[in-house]
Amino acid sequence: MQEPPAPVDISVLTIVRNREPHLHQLIEGLTRSRLQPDELIVVDMSDCPVKPPLAPFPIAVHRLEGTGLPLAKARNLAAKHAAQDNLVFLDVDCIPMTDCLTRLVQELGCHNGLLCADIRYLGPDDARGEWTEADLLARGRPHSARLFPATGVREEPNPGLFWSLAFAIRRSSFAALGGFDEAFEGYGAEDTDFGFRARDARLPLLFVGGAIACHQHHDSHEPPVQHLKDIVQNATLFHRRWNRWPMEGWLSAFQSMGLIEWTPQQVRLVRMPDSEEIAATKVA
């Protein structure tokens, strides 16, 4: 059966804080894309304003001043400024491969849901300069807990596996959900909450085969102790709303480090990590 024509009117949305080189590689990926976006909306939270390179599509940069990493607020601001009917959210770390946009918007024309791209994780020295798609695909590692089909879509029954790194949604559906809940301040659980609300709205979570984006390496911590306060606050809000805990792996690790007290009923911040603990959790 012949595939329906891909829908038009695509806004790609990204948010950035102090990762301008990653933004440049995301734009390079979009420039090489078989299907060009109508626009790229950038919400910039960086200490110094970013300067994106020229591209064959319009780029609009909107500043979000402040400290921290208000992910829900930043993504909602990007959607507010988007002009098109089909929204593709790409974290600034992601480089879309040639067919990523094509596959996402083709399936978005057939399915009203949350459509996640297949993320491949790159190493520290990958995509730091010139790159070829074949090289990135050879080096990228898939996520072990998220299984993508080679082609077509697979419906994922667990809304906790919604992936805000790279996903597509119809503008009308995003508006009906009310966007990301800005009660989740800073980092953590805002995307899981979004996935659960989509489930309750009967929007299926779909993993799209062939929609590949490569995730650029960056400094990180495991567990993310630099976001400890946000995670404790947001986990508490999520538990109050859904009667279950998000980010259980991180909470368990924080408890083992003596940073929190965590019971089936509540989580309490005990202390902040010291400099040695922060250094020990850094991922090379």
Side-chain angles (χ1 to χ4, degrees):
M1 188 171 75
Q2 186 177 4
E3 279 191 320
V8 293
D9 304 328
I10 307 159
S11 293
V12 173
L13 318 175
T14 194
I15 60 178
V16 57
R17 181 172 176 80
N18 299 336
R19 288 186 185 159
E20 186 167 326
H22 293 78
L23 175 63
H24 284 229
Q25 295 290 25
L26 179 151
I27 293 170
E28 177 64 24
L30 290 174
T31 299
R32 301 186 194 187
S33 178
R34 194 180 313 277
L35 184 64
Q36 296 282 291
D38 293 276
E39 62 178 358
L40 171 64
I41 303 296
V42 180
V43 170
D44 180 23
M45 301 172 282
S46 304
D47 295 332
C48 297
V50 298
K51 297 178 181 178
L54 293 176
F57 43 81
I59 301 176
V61 180
H62 302 275
R63 287 284 292 171
L64 179 57
E65 302 288 350
T67 60
L69 203 60
L71 299 179
K73 185 175 183 179
R75 292 195 184 104
N76 287 346
L77 182 60
K80 176 183 176 181
H81 286 290
Q84 308 305 326
D85 295 328
N86 300 287
L87 308 181
V88 176
F89 288 81
L90 290 176
D91 273 9
V92 73
D93 313 310
C94 294
I95 304 174
M97 298 293 95
T98 305
D99 290 323
C100 184
L101 288 188
T102 301
R103 292 294 303 123
L104 287 173
V105 297
Q106 279 180 342
E107 297 298 344
L108 197 58
C110 302
H111 305 281
N112 184 21
L114 290 184
L115 279 63
C116 286
D118 184 354
I119 302 298
R120 308 292 175 87
Y121 288 88
L122 300 174
D125 299 323
D126 300 330
R128 293 309 189 207
E130 296 295 323
W131 51 267
T132 67
E133 182 162 317
D135 185 49
L136 295 192
L137 291 175
R139 293 171 179 268
R141 297 174 291 103
H143 194 283
S144 59
R146 292 173 168 88
L147 303 178
F148 280 76
T151 60
V153 299
R154 181 182 73 81
E155 184 168 352
E156 170 55 55
N158 179 4
L161 290 181
F162 167 62
W163 215 343
S164 60
L165 273 175
F167 74 98
I169 186 172
R170 296 177 185 177
R171 183 187 186 90
S172 58
S173 297
F174 188 83
L177 289 174
F180 289 87
D181 189 343
E182 296 181 21
F184 291 90
E185 297 182 1
Y187 183 93
E190 85 294 334
D191 52 354
T192 310
D193 173 77
F194 190 79
F196 272 69
R197 288 190 288 114
R199 178 204 61 185
D200 285 1
R202 301 196 176 184
L203 284 177
L205 176 58
L206 302 173
F207 288 178
V208 182
I212 300 173
C214 289
H215 182 272
Q216 303 171 72
H217 185 273
H218 55 77
D219 290 342
S220 61
H221 294 262
E222 186 56 44
V225 291
Q226 75 277 28
H227 298 300
L228 175 61
K229 282 186 177 180
D230 287 351
I231 289 172
V232 168
Q233 175 180 300
N234 289 339
T236 298
L237 173 59
F238 186 95
H239 183 267
R240 187 161 61 241
R241 178 172 296 173
W242 299 105
N243 197 32
R244 59 180 292 176
W245 291 104
M247 307 176 287
E248 290 181 307
W250 291 345
L251 293 177
S252 179
F254 292 151
Q255 182 170 247
S256 297
M257 295 172 68
L259 302 178
I260 65 170
E261 289 181 355
W262 181 33
T263 71
Q265 290 76 38
Q266 67 175 356
V267 59
R268 184 177 72 84
L269 180 65
V270 174
R271 63 178 179 86
M272 296 301 293
D274 59 33
S275 59
E276 290 184 358
E277 289 169 321
I278 292 172
T281 60
K282 187 173 181 179
V283 179

